[in-house]
Amino acid sequence: MSDFDSFQRFLFEDLGIRGELVRLDSSWQAVLERHSYPPAVSSQLGQALAAVLLLSATIKFRGSLILQAQARGPLHTLVAQATHQKTIRGLAQWNGEVTGETLSDIYGPGHLVLTVRNDDSEPYQGIVALEGDDLAGAIQTYFSRSEQLATRLWLTADEQRAAGLLIQELPTQARDRDDWARVEFLADTITPAELLHLPGQELLYRLFNEERVRLFDSEPVAFRCGCSRERIESVLLAMGNQEVESILEKEDSVEVFCEFCNRRYLFDRVDIGGLFADQIKLPPSTTRQ
């Protein structure tokens, strides 16, 4: 299997440390094909997609993990979602020109929201200020403040690929701070070009050739939007017949766009009539038997 559009786990055999490596290629291009993002915006979105995939693999769940940035600056909304099946989707919204290098330049004041939607339990949500030099730093702040395991991320994205590297202490093994400091120092020598382009095995050898590292088989990653006509119908039903009919008084049809995949769903009067047919109460019959 190709190293691109893939997720790989690795393990330091003699240390209480694990790692993950993700590369997005065609899946990242599928996101970019649906919206025209300025370079500064697409870079943040690509990094967020790589990050949410890495984070989703650190927990056991069936559902989706959503990483969302909400801010009051130029890039005011960013959403990246990954599922337990290693599918991704994402979007970003901005105003005016997005420039600068730091999070404060790009986002302005804001916060980062991490939401786990598990099929078998209530959603869990964590929030941290959108602060630091980059998105990886803000996510690491979330881990440190929530008293979870020591975690480091390296994220990068360009117009062709997005990629990420994660290392994390194992919860079940005794921790040696010297081991963690050494591995963290070695990982910190990685460059964006290496993270984007080097095959996984070659990258890990370059970084950790003096450590015993076991690289597991790749798992495929794909772009997939969860929207469907049935789901849009559910949204219209939730709006109610009266509100939908008020739209039809001004327009010939109800038009809905999915922001993630830019797909267009059109419902004409016949569609809407059929959708709400079970809710229409007919007047009682006046015919006598």
Side-chain angles (χ1 to χ4, degrees):
M1 180 183 295
S2 168
D3 272 344
F4 300 105
D5 284 310
S6 68
F7 169 87
Q8 286 182 286
R9 303 175 194 267
F10 59 93
L11 179 69
F12 292 85
E13 297 278 17
D14 305 316
L15 313 176
I17 302 172
R18 63 184 172 188
E20 300 165 0
L21 179 64
V22 65
R23 307 288 184 79
L24 307 178
D25 192 285
S26 297
S27 55
W28 174 225
Q29 290 303 308
V31 173
L32 293 181
E33 286 169 2
R34 285 158 173 80
H35 296 280
S36 179
Y37 293 117
V41 174
S42 65
S43 175
Q44 292 297 305
L45 182 56
Q47 291 178 56
L49 287 168
V52 78
L53 262 171
L54 293 169
L55 298 177
S56 70
T58 65
I59 58 176
K60 292 183 179 180
F61 75 112
R62 290 185 62 83
S64 63
L65 181 67
I66 303 167
L67 183 66
Q68 185 172 6
Q70 300 172 344
R72 297 194 296 273
L75 178 50
H76 57 83
T77 302
L78 184 146
V79 181
Q81 182 186 57
T83 70
H84 68 280
Q85 298 173 314
K86 301 292 187 299
T87 63
I88 60 167
R89 65 176 185 168
L91 63 88
Q93 297 175 346
W94 72 99
N95 291 316
E97 188 177 4
V98 183
T99 59
E101 301 272 335
T102 66
L103 294 185
S104 60
D105 293 334
I106 297 170
Y107 293 94
H111 54 269
L112 201 61
V113 183
L114 189 66
T115 306
V116 180
R117 298 190 180 276
N118 201 325
D119 295 343
D120 302 323
S121 62
E122 292 296 316
Y124 166 81
Q125 194 170 80
I127 302 175
V128 69
L130 194 54
E131 297 174 344
D133 294 332
D134 52 31
L135 198 57
I139 296 170
Q140 285 156 194
T141 300
Y142 167 80
F143 275 91
S144 63
R145 292 183 181 177
S146 60
E147 298 182 359
Q148 298 190 34
L149 302 168
T151 304
R152 281 291 311 272
L153 293 97
W154 292 262
L155 306 168
T156 189
D158 62 16
E159 295 180 355
Q160 300 301 318
R161 295 191 179 108
L165 172 71
L166 176 146
I167 58 172
Q168 186 178 66
E169 290 182 325
L170 287 169
T172 57
Q173 296 190 21
R175 303 177 186 179
D176 187 320
R177 302 310 305 172
D178 290 339
D179 289 339
W180 173 260
R182 184 177 69 258
V183 170
E184 184 180 24
F185 174 79
L186 293 171
D188 223 7
T189 65
I190 195 169
T191 67
E194 290 170 337
L195 188 53
L196 286 169
H197 302 294
L198 282 184
Q201 189 167 358
E202 184 178 345
L203 175 65
L204 294 182
Y205 180 79
R206 196 208 71 76
L207 294 174
F208 312 116
N209 59 78
E210 295 185 1
E211 308 290 341
R212 292 182 61 213
V213 180
R214 181 176 12 145
L215 180 63
F216 295 90
D217 291 339
S218 296
E219 300 176 48
V221 176
F223 169 84
R224 185 175 300 158
C225 185
C227 75
S228 66
R229 191 172 182 86
E230 290 74 20
R231 290 195 175 189
I232 301 299
E233 288 175 351
S234 298
V235 173
L236 295 177
L237 285 169
M239 291 172 59
N241 190 25
Q242 186 174 356
E243 186 170 348
V244 175
E245 285 294 337
S246 68
I247 298 174
L248 288 175
E249 289 176 3
K250 302 175 184 177
E251 306 290 341
D252 292 332
S253 60
V254 177
E255 195 172 36
V256 181
F257 283 91
C258 174
E259 291 184 306
F260 285 99
C261 66
N262 232 5
R263 186 176 297 173
R264 174 174 174 263
Y265 294 91
L266 195 66
F267 297 84
D268 60 21
R269 294 180 181 275
V270 175
D271 296 325
I272 298 300
L275 187 61
F276 288 96
D278 292 340
Q279 299 183 13
I280 298 176
K281 295 182 178 180
L282 297 176
S285 175
T286 57
T287 304
R288 295 184 179 181
Q289 297 294 332

